[in-house]
Amino acid sequence: MSEETGDIQVLIDLMARLPGLGPRSARRAVLQLIKKRGQLLIPLADAMQTVGATARECLNCGNIGTTDICKICENDKRANGQICVVEDVADLWAMERSGVFHGRYHVLGGTLSALDAIGPEELRIPRLIDRMTAENVSEVILAMSATIDGQTTAHYIADQLPNLKVTSLAQGVPVGGELDYLDDGTITAALNARRAL
Amino acid sequence: MSEETGDIQVLIDLMARLPGLGPRSARRAVLQLIKKRGQLLIPLADAMQTVGATARECLNCGNIGTTDICKICENDKRANGQICVVEDVADLWAMERSGVFHGRYHVLGGTLSALDAIGPEELRIPRLIDRMTAENVSEVILAMSATIDGQTTAHYIADQLPNLKVTSLAQGVPVGGELDYLDDGTITAALNARRAL
């Protein structure tokens, strides 16, 4: 039994529910917060209040922002006819960090999963199909994870868009990857998709 | 360049400054917070506000609590004459979780360190010496880390308290520890402190 007082224990218990933090790191984080009250604890509490009050999903694509229509969907320069379909907002952010894609996104909010009873209606798939007529879409790029559920979802979406150019991310050796450390599936995919130099 | 809007990016940057969280896990944590706004984000912001307004160091021992004198120092049942000296509040909490110590604590707030120019005045050592006369102390248990700075601090404090029973935590094989994985220093300490069965 620890003697931390109630308020501090409440904060530790809440912090321990964040992904990547367990009870031990939550305690460390809370001690750090209390030590850096002015620089960290108060600004963090304020930022959480702000985000809690303003964060919402884009009504068009499912991205998270502070407006009903996100900055990417509002940006006319990005209306180049390409829509990149991702599972989650984290994947959208990862694509944006690469800086290589200049079209718009569509965030599904997960993958189809028979085990978890997640069908097309639970995801943002009907909305994606609506966008095909509403926007002048020339290509749909499926950027799902290379997992069974991700690939099942990609194939399902491709089937729903028969008259469109539908592509998916290439599979192969990651940049910097050493063959010795790659799994058999990746080596097989890289070999099958080999290119002439 | 990611397209997260300003408020969300501010929150991510602040979260990334917590110990144990890097930029990637901070992004994951913030997405989780936004998904669980009602159960996690708002309660966490409220708990931070509360702790920010109430947390303070105990004027007597340096423990963190929400009152000027902490619950342990206020608890008459713990006035058994034993004071356990620890480096940090996290160490105090660890001792409390073991549930085996029933006296009071003294939190130094660090260790002596020539490199970082931390002398006795930077720590809570003068206050510890004051407590020797103010409280009826029969034993001082030094529970510093088994590091060079920790042991230097322990020896310094022992020198300051010449007429008192001063003890320190035993060094040896941790419970569940396998000899093969222990460092030489621990094996040496355990051998030197061997006991008759």
Side-chain angles (χ1 to χ4, degrees), chain B residues 3-196:
Chain B
E3 286 278 342
E4 301 96 284
T5 53
D7 292 339
I8 296 172
Q9 190 59 52
V10 166
L11 180 55
I12 292 172
D13 292 344
L14 284 166
M15 291 290 287
R17 289 172 52 195
L18 290 176
L21 286 180
R24 174 183 294 270
S25 40
R27 285 195 296 270
R28 275 183 62 212
V30 167
L31 284 174
Q32 182 83 338
L33 283 171
I34 293 174
K35 272 182 197 161
K36 299 196 176 173
R37 187 189 312 236
Q39 306 106 289
L40 196 50
L41 178 56
I42 302 298
L44 196 50
D46 292 344
M48 283 185 183
Q49 297 280 17
T50 307
V51 168
T54 60
R56 69 197 70 185
E57 288 182 347
C58 172
L59 297 177
N60 191 43
C61 76
N63 184 17
I64 285 176
T66 50
T67 45
D68 280 343
I69 301 295
C70 75
K71 286 186 178 176
I72 297 178
C73 285
E74 270 186 340
N75 187 344
D76 281 339
K77 288 186 187 152
R78 302 194 64 142
N80 64 0
Q82 291 181 322
I83 289 190
C84 178
V85 182
V86 293
E87 292 173 15
D88 245 316
V89 176
D91 303 330
L92 186 160
W93 289 354
M95 290 289 294
E96 282 296 283
R97 281 197 300 281
S98 79
V100 82
F101 178 69
H102 303 295
R104 286 177 176 165
Y105 292 94
H106 194 78
V107 181
L108 294 178
T111 52
L112 295 174
S113 168
L115 271 180
D116 300 328
I118 295 178
E121 300 296 325
E122 274 73 44
L123 303 179
R124 219 170 264 107
I125 292 180
R127 171 79 205 139
L128 175 64
I129 294 165
D130 290 348
R131 286 181 71 183
M132 294 305 124
T133 46
E135 301 176 38
N136 190 14
V137 177
S138 59
E139 180 179 2
V140 172
I141 301 166
L142 300 176
M144 319 298 45
S145 300
T147 58
I148 292 185
D149 281 346
Q151 294 307 304
T152 306
T153 311
H155 283 291
Y156 175 84
I157 292 176
D159 286 346
Q160 305 298 306
L161 306 170
N163 301 316
L164 255 172
K165 182 179 176 190
V166 179
T167 58
S168 78
L169 294 188
Q171 285 195 312
V173 183
V175 174
E178 298 180 47
L179 283 199
D180 196 20
Y181 290 93
L182 286 181
D183 60 297
D184 297 350
T186 302
I187 292 182
T188 307
L191 191 67
N192 289 341
R194 66 190 179 277
R195 301 187 302 176

Side-chain angles (χ1 to χ4, degrees), chain A residues 10-181:
Chain A
V10 166
L11 180 56
I12 292 173
D13 292 345
L14 284 165
M15 292 290 288
R17 288 172 54 195
L18 291 175
L21 286 181
R24 175 183 294 270
S25 40
R27 284 194 297 269
R28 273 183 62 212
V30 167
L31 283 174
Q32 182 84 338
L33 283 170
I34 293 174
K35 272 182 199 162
K36 299 194 174 173
R37 187 189 314 234
Q39 307 106 288
L40 198 50
L41 177 57
I42 302 299
L44 196 50
D46 291 345
M48 283 186 182
Q49 297 279 16
T50 308
V51 168
T54 60
R56 68 198 71 186
E57 287 182 349
C58 171
L59 297 176
N60 192 42
C61 76
N63 185 17
I64 285 175
T66 50
T67 45
D68 281 343
I69 302 294
C70 75
K71 286 186 178 176
I72 297 177
C73 284
E74 269 186 343
N75 186 345
D76 281 338
K77 287 187 187 151
R78 301 193 66 141
N80 66 358
Q82 292 181 322
I83 290 189
C84 178
V85 182
V86 292
E87 293 173 15
D88 245 315
V89 175
D91 302 330
L92 186 160
W93 289 355
M95 290 288 294
E96 283 296 284
R97 280 197 302 279
S98 81
V100 83
F101 177 69
H102 304 295
R104 287 178 176 165
Y105 291 93
H106 194 78
V107 181
L108 294 179
T111 53
L112 296 173
S113 168
L115 270 179
D116 299 330
I118 295 179
E121 300 296 326
E122 272 73 44
L123 302 179
R124 222 170 260 106
I125 292 181
R127 172 80 205 138
L128 175 64
I129 293 165
D130 291 347
R131 287 181 70 183
M132 295 305 124
T133 47
E135 301 176 38
N136 190 13
V137 177
S138 61
E139 181 180 2
V140 172
I141 300 166
L142 301 176
M144 317 305 38
S145 299
T147 57
I148 292 186
D149 282 346
Q151 295 306 304
T152 305
T153 310
H155 283 290
Y156 176 85
I157 293 175
D159 286 346
Q160 304 297 306
L161 305 170
N163 302 315
L164 255 171
K165 182 178 176 192
V166 180
T167 57
S168 78
L169 294 187
Q171 287 195 309
V173 183
V175 174
E178 297 179 48
L179 283 199
D180 196 21
Y181 290 94

Side-chain angles (χ1 to χ4, degrees), chain A residues 178-194:
Chain A
E178 297 179 48
L179 283 199
D180 196 21
Y181 290 94
L182 287 180
D183 60 297
D184 297 349
T186 302
I187 291 181
T188 306
L191 190 68
N192 289 341
R194 66 189 179 278

